[in-house]
Amino acid sequence: MAEKNRLVTVAALQFACTDDVSTNVATAERLVRAAHQKGANIILIQELFEGYYFCQAQKEEFFHRAKPYPGHPTIARMQNLAKELGVVIPVSFFEEANNAHYNSVAIIDADGTDLGLYRKSHIPDGPGYQEKFYFNPGDTGFKVFQTKYAKIGVAICWDQWFPEAARAMALQGAEVLFYPTAIGSEPQDDGLDSRDHWRRVMQGHAGANVVPLVASNRIGKEIIETEHGNSEITFYGYSFIAGPTGELVAAAGDKEEAVLVAQFDLDKIKSKRHGWGVYRDRRPDLYKVLLTLDGSNPVK
């Protein structure tokens, strides 16, 4: 008797943050519960959802927002919630590790077990997004996590612009890719709107790797006082779920709170992925150039 195909329902949450941790965590919990009511098994909350996106400014006082991974109160609360609802929750947080700091995500399985940590690999540094002041480059490498419902890859925001990250997770067997995000307007250029570019790049990752992809972004205007005056970003949301050919399955707008849900047949997608031949016909022996910065000298 043939086994039933593995169906998984994924969700992307989208909401505006205040700068109060308890308020934001309560909002996240409310939307996780709403996603569960819609049948979601794996639920993605946006990047650094405990507060405002503080990286608009370089302020020593903002390091106080970081907490150690062991005993982190928000992770503990999400562990209890995951166990209660039987859902998987990647939890983004600002991590303090002795004198190092990371933009990290803990993967909570459906029984509340903490499956481990991923630390953001690519750290941006530009007007409004001055993350290099706060975060060390991640040292975990790209990872996949075997959850109750699927083997998942989770990377963070700026990681989503790099096809190498998506391919690394897919090669390790990721069946769905997840990207918690905080992105919006560019303080130095009112005319620059990256939302369509942002979405298309990740749709490409889904299609190139033949895996579904989930991206969760915040909304709302956030103003941070800097040494040069106030900096303002309007986060554009646009959270979405893409299918294994890059097709847009569910999408949010740029202003409204959202709970996006989509179901995928992982066994059917696996057959499509194997039949398409992009993994069979790979040529790793020809890709040594990817280990360089300038196309010729290998990075040591």
Side-chain angles (χ1 to χ4, degrees):
M1 184 175 177
E3 294 183 3
K4 291 183 178 179
N5 283 5
R6 291 182 303 131
L7 301 178
V8 64
T9 301
V10 298
L13 309 185
Q14 174 174 294
F15 59 93
C17 289
T18 70
D19 208 26
D20 177 72
V21 174
S22 61
T23 299
N24 296 323
V25 173
T27 299
E29 177 171 335
R30 172 174 59 82
L31 295 180
V32 167
R33 291 184 181 278
H36 172 254
Q37 286 293 316
K38 292 185 174 185
N41 309 122
I42 308 175
I43 302 169
L44 184 64
I45 310 170
Q46 61 216 30
E47 181 188 16
L48 297 173
F49 64 91
E50 290 184 295
Y52 278 167
Y53 180 74
F54 53 86
C55 305
Q56 291 194 60
Q58 296 186 12
K59 287 189 170 185
E60 291 180 1
E61 65 195 71
F62 287 162
F63 282 102
H64 295 303
R65 297 172 180 243
K67 294 184 179 66
Y69 175 36
H72 193 291
T74 298
I75 294 174
R77 179 166 173 176
M78 291 299 157
Q79 285 181 275
N80 291 333
L81 182 62
K83 183 176 181 179
E84 175 194 341
L85 302 179
V87 298
V88 175
I89 309 174
V91 182
S92 171
F93 69 104
F94 184 11
E95 180 193 1
E96 177 184 279
N98 296 321
N99 289 311
H101 295 82
Y102 299 98
N103 188 336
S104 300
V105 60
I107 312 305
I108 309 304
D109 206 356
D111 62 356
T113 301
D114 185 342
L115 296 178
L117 186 73
Y118 168 72
R119 290 168 168 165
K120 187 173 182 177
S121 300
H122 302 96
I123 310 299
D125 186 32
Y129 302 89
Q130 300 175 67
E131 294 196 16
K132 278 187 168 65
F133 183 77
Y134 298 100
F135 306 131
N136 294 80
D139 57 0
T140 59
F142 302 109
K143 302 170 70 174
V144 298
F145 301 87
Q146 181 62 65
T147 73
K148 177 180 179 179
Y149 302 108
K151 184 179 285 188
I152 66 173
V154 184
I156 302 170
C157 202
W158 192 226
D159 289 331
Q160 65 210 180
W161 294 88
F162 296 85
E164 299 91 343
R167 177 52 56 92
M169 292 184 286
L171 285 174
Q172 294 176 78
E175 297 175 293
V176 188
L177 300 177
F178 292 85
Y179 290 94
T181 301
I183 190 171
S185 58
E186 303 290 337
Q188 85 286 3
D189 186 351
D190 291 339
L192 179 57
D193 184 348
S194 64
R195 70 186 71 190
D196 292 326
H197 185 189
W198 172 79
R199 186 182 274 178
R200 284 193 298 267
V201 165
M202 283 184 281
Q203 287 180 260
H205 297 335
N209 292 288
V210 197
V211 294
L213 185 150
V214 183
S216 173
N217 189 25
R218 65 177 67 195
I219 53 172
K221 181 186 294 185
E222 297 181 13
I223 300 173
I224 299 288
E225 183 182 347
T226 78
E227 63 273 26
H228 306 296
N230 287 341
S231 177
E232 176 183 305
I233 293 178
T234 300
F235 292 90
Y236 54 60
Y238 252 44
S239 302
F240 70 96
I241 302 171
T245 65
E247 74 277 21
L248 209 54
V249 176
D254 62 357
K255 295 180 177 63
E256 74 276 9
E257 189 173 276
V259 177
L260 305 177
V261 173
Q263 185 179 80
F264 296 103
D265 183 329
L266 296 180
D267 288 329
K268 184 176 180 180
I269 293 171
K270 180 180 179 180
S271 295
K272 176 187 289 289
R273 187 164 56 244
H274 291 176
W276 199 243
V278 291
Y279 293 92
R280 179 197 64 214
D281 297 335
R282 291 185 68 251
R283 292 292 307 276
D285 54 313
L286 302 181
Y287 303 154
K288 293 180 178 62
V289 68
L290 296 179
L291 300 179
T292 74
L293 291 175
D294 64 357
S296 59
N297 297 310
V299 176
K300 296 180 180 178

